[in-house]
Amino acid sequence: MKYKKLMLLPLLLVLPMLRLTAQQSQMNSNSSENVFGIDLNRTYSGNEVLNLLTIMDEEAQTSITNAYNEGYKAGLLEYKPETIKLQSLNDSLKADAEQMRREYAYTVPVWQVPLWTAGGILFGYGLRFVSELIK
């Protein structure tokens, strides 16, 4: 308990010093009343303050969303030429790869597949027959 009181002592000393060193606000009360429509001398109820804070929050969210959308659009417009250039490079590389695949791919005509299969089977039976003859 003693320690809490001792810790409060420096805080109590700091408060008057802050009040002495604080500068007078340069805001004109008339201009703030005109901009926000708030009477600084009036005491507002909790509902009025809550309504003001709700309106402020909605406007802030709208402003943030609008700023994000504008930045997103600006970014898209800024990188549009680079996107087009990269897309054309991608298309040309795909075309080159397809051409190389056609050029260098080993293809067997479909009609030769049964012939090669039959030849492999006959060759296997021939080896088996020859190996039995040798035994």
Side-chain angles (χ1 to χ4, degrees), residues 112-127:
Q112 288 183 1
V113 173
L115 293 177
W116 284 98
T117 305
I121 291 170
L122 290 175
F123 182 73
Y125 279 124
L127 283 177

Side-chain angles (χ1 to χ4, degrees), residues 33-126:
E33 287 177 11
N34 291 336
V35 175
F36 299 110
I38 298 174
D39 182 10
L40 298 179
N41 297 326
R42 182 176 162 213
T43 303
Y44 289 93
S45 69
N47 286 334
E48 290 173 326
V49 172
L50 182 62
N51 288 336
L52 288 173
L53 290 175
T54 304
I55 292 169
M56 182 196 68
D57 184 48
E58 290 171 357
E59 288 180 3
Q61 291 297 328
T62 304
S63 297
I64 290 169
T65 303
N66 290 341
Y68 175 79
N69 290 338
E70 290 299 318
Y72 183 74
K73 288 176 190 173
L76 284 179
L77 292 176
E78 182 178 340
Y79 290 106
K80 184 78 170 173
E82 187 175 336
T83 304
I84 293 171
K85 183 176 90 173
L86 290 175
Q87 184 65 37
S88 64
L89 177 64
N90 185 26
D91 293 341
S92 67
L93 288 175
K94 279 183 181 179
D96 291 345
E98 184 63 28
Q99 181 183 2
M100 288 177 67
R101 188 189 65 76
R102 280 193 219 123
E103 267 181 42
Y104 299 111
Y106 179 76
T107 57
V108 177
V110 176
W111 61 270
Q112 288 183 1
V113 173
L115 293 177
W116 284 98
T117 305
I121 291 170
L122 290 175
F123 182 73
Y125 279 124

